[in-house]
Amino acid sequence: MENYMIRQLGRVLAALALTAVTTVTGVTLTAGAAHADGCYTWGRTLSQGMSGEDVRQLQIRVAGYPGYGAVLTIDGAFGPATRSAVIRFQQAYGLGADGIAGPQTFNRLYALQDDDCTPVNFSYAELNNCNSTWSGGAVSASTARANALVSMWKLQALRHALGDVPIAISSSFRSYACNSAVGGASNSRHLYGDAVDLVGSPSFCRLAQQARYHGFAQILGPGYPDHNDHTHVAAVGGWSAPSCGI
């Protein structure tokens, strides 16, 4: 734990150093794009109208900021929805909210991610207690793993909105065998790697209510059959948590 904290502190300090701003005779000069350790590095400022893999990587990380009831399409095209998500991300972290992803936005993202590109508060292991290969589900292993990564970034946004409190996960990716063993629905989104069951605190209703703002198309919670002991969030489906007013 101590080494982990030291590593994260080092990353934050490095990010801050790389966003150093110097003022010369009233002109503000901003440092260029910073470099991430072991993950992804953006090499240009991104704004509406641009496209490419760098846009897609940005979309993955701001997928949790689409706004109430919305889902951000991760297609590598920087459109109005991506701009709005970037603005909400910038607002959430106290950055200049102009919808343009430049050094300050990238440095904040670098500080939030680990070397495998997962957000610092979640890991692949947490989202797969079924097997080590991500295989045996309704999609390829690579797709299931990619879906889980997007879910983690949505959960990171949810966690931050709730005051950076820990969020516990009881189940996420399942192969058909694992899904059958726990009595999961035959069409469960867990088979696709994009569903996550949340337990512990905050309350199930608080989780369900806040999740509406963070890109989850499916939210099932208290009052929905077999969901009184957890809140389920996923990329596809609908909302139903009657006991929570949803």
Side-chain angles (χ1 to χ4, degrees):
M1 178 63 71
E2 181 179 352
N3 289 337
Y4 172 84
M5 293 178 67
I6 291 173
R7 180 164 60 89
Q8 295 307 320
L9 177 59
R11 179 173 289 129
V12 171
L13 292 175
L16 291 174
L18 286 165
T19 50
V21 176
T22 304
T23 300
V24 181
T25 62
V27 178
T28 300
L29 305 176
T30 305
H35 296 275
D37 292 332
C39 182
Y40 186 84
T41 300
W42 285 273
R44 59 174 180 164
T45 294
L46 300 176
S47 59
Q48 188 168 327
M50 301 176 76
S51 62
E53 176 61 17
D54 48 3
V55 174
R56 193 182 74 85
Q57 291 292 333
L58 173 66
Q59 289 171 329
I60 290 171
R61 289 157 180 77
V62 299
Y65 292 92
Y68 182 89
V71 176
L72 181 65
T73 300
I74 299 173
D75 58 3
F78 199 128
T82 298
R83 180 178 182 274
S84 294
V86 170
I87 288 174
R88 293 187 186 93
F89 173 83
Q90 292 168 331
Q91 291 172 333
Y93 285 95
L95 305 176
D98 57 5
I100 298 172
Q104 287 191 337
T105 299
F106 296 144
N107 285 333
R108 172 47 58 186
L109 291 172
Y110 294 150
L112 285 172
Q113 68 186 9
D114 276 327
D115 289 346
D116 62 356
C117 298
T118 60
V120 293
N121 296 113
F122 297 94
S123 68
Y124 283 115
E126 287 181 276
L127 271 72
N128 185 357
N129 56 15
C130 172
N131 59 44
S132 61
T133 62
W134 297 85
S135 62
V139 293
S140 69
S142 60
T143 297
R145 197 171 189 268
N147 289 343
L149 179 62
V150 176
S151 293
M152 281 187 268
W153 280 100
K154 292 179 181 180
L155 291 174
Q156 188 70 31
L158 173 62
R159 185 184 191 277
H160 186 59
L162 292 170
D164 291 312
V165 297
I167 293 177
I169 297 168
S170 63
S171 180
S172 187
F173 169 75
R174 301 174 192 158
S175 66
Y176 280 106
C178 289
N179 190 59
S180 178
V182 299
S186 61
N187 63 343
S188 172
R189 293 307 304 181
H190 289 281
L191 296 164
Y192 296 81
D194 62 31
V196 187
D197 290 344
L198 309 176
V199 294
S201 59
S203 71
F204 303 143
C205 280
R206 184 74 183 93
L207 289 165
Q209 291 161 351
Q210 188 61 47
R212 296 174 295 178
Y213 296 87
H214 299 292
F216 294 107
Q218 185 175 64
I219 303 170
L220 305 175
Y224 186 81
D226 301 320
H227 285 73
N228 287 325
D229 60 352
H230 69 282
T231 291
H232 166 99
V233 294
V236 177
W239 297 352
S240 183
S243 299
C244 308
I246 298 173

